[in-house]
Amino acid sequence: MGVLAAYKSKTDPVHIFWDLDATLLCSITPIPTNNNFNDKNVLSHFEQIDDDFPFEPNAPNTRTYFRPGCYWALQMCSSFGVLHVYTAAQASYTDNILAELDPDRTLFAKVIHRDMHPEIVKKGKDLNIGTDDLRRAILFDDRVSNFLPQRYANGVAVMPFTADRVAKLCHGESWSAYLEEVREMTRLVGIAFLSHLSGDVRNVVGWVRSWKNPMQ
């Protein structure tokens, strides 16, 4: 299997498109001040200006938390596939995220955001924008509606990483909540790897959907 994976990485790699918000991270605006977020050191995070919301110059209005396991998952997937960002966020927000997540700009081959393709917001994420081979393209996203352009054939639903889940990690339930997030990232790595080994990722996506899983 290792030989096959290495061969396909060179000859026919899977292209993995990652959503940002509620998939790899959770951004909270305004910056939380209540006790539910009192231990922000539990999670990797940074503060930024999200210009989709009111802000004062040079004063961050948003705290962005990275999902436990997301860095590991991206590194694992990059070892056999080609990674891309596909987000409905604006360019400035996306740039802020990538400055933290991929500061050397070596992890993601392509970055697609709504300033480039405004139709993302209403019509979903068309993978034809990012690749000419849907046979080898998979999208991880928490919003199932974003899979519509490919009639749901290439998209795997992600358990949303929400402010409520961040609060659990920061206050009172950190260990069990942390493991739950890592399990979700591990699940996605496994799906990506199976998709990589497959001839057509849509076969794997269909198999994943056939599980009795409320997220699918």
Side-chain angles (χ1 to χ4, degrees), residues 75-199:
Q75 290 297 328
M76 288 294 293
C77 289
S78 70
S79 69
F80 56 81
V82 181
L83 307 190
H84 311 279
V85 167
Y86 205 156
T87 177
Q90 73 276 31
S92 58
Y93 177 85
T94 303
D95 288 343
N96 290 343
I97 299 299
L98 292 182
E100 299 289 329
L101 190 60
D102 184 22
D104 297 329
R105 297 301 176 96
T106 58
L107 189 57
F108 299 105
K110 190 173 297 182
V111 176
I112 305 170
H113 50 69
R114 76 161 187 251
D115 288 357
M116 300 165 61
H117 299 282
E119 64 272 17
I120 293 171
V121 176
K122 292 185 178 180
K123 295 183 179 180
K125 298 178 178 178
D126 187 351
L127 293 178
N128 285 305
I129 292 173
T131 181
D132 58 2
D133 187 3
L134 293 177
R135 180 185 60 91
R136 302 297 291 157
I138 189 168
L139 171 62
F140 291 135
D141 202 309
D142 67 294
R143 291 190 177 185
V144 175
S145 59
N146 282 328
F147 306 147
L148 180 59
Q150 272 64 59
R151 298 182 180 273
Y152 308 96
N154 293 74
V156 172
V158 179
M159 180 172 62
F161 186 50
T162 62
D164 286 343
R165 300 181 75 85
V166 170
K168 287 183 178 181
L169 286 159
C170 290
H171 184 71
E173 300 179 44
S174 58
W175 181 241
S176 60
Y178 187 91
L179 288 178
E180 189 171 3
E181 303 303 338
V182 172
R183 279 197 298 268
E184 178 63 3
M185 287 289 96
T186 303
R187 181 180 78 96
L188 299 182
V189 171
I191 292 170
F193 188 68
L194 289 175
S195 297
H196 174 60
L197 294 178
S198 72

Side-chain angles (χ1 to χ4, degrees), residues 40-97:
K40 60 181 182 294
N41 293 321
V42 170
L43 289 176
S44 175
H45 69 280
F46 73 103
E47 294 182 353
Q48 61 167 311
I49 293 176
D50 183 346
D51 55 20
D52 264 356
F53 300 94
F55 68 94
E56 298 293 332
N58 301 315
N61 65 347
T62 299
R63 182 177 294 150
T64 296
Y65 295 88
F66 289 104
R67 192 172 203 159
C70 78
Y71 295 109
W72 167 82
L74 292 172
Q75 290 297 328
M76 288 294 293
C77 289
S78 70
S79 69
F80 56 81
V82 181
L83 307 190
H84 311 279
V85 167
Y86 205 156
T87 177
Q90 73 276 31
S92 58
Y93 177 85
T94 303
D95 288 343
N96 290 343
I97 299 299

Side-chain angles (χ1 to χ4, degrees), residues 1-13 79-80 136 193 196-198:
M1 184 176 292
V3 173
L4 175 61
Y7 176 75
K8 291 186 74 66
S9 293
K10 293 182 179 297
T11 61
D12 192 24
S79 69
F80 56 81
R136 302 297 291 157
F193 188 68
H196 174 60
L197 294 178
S198 72

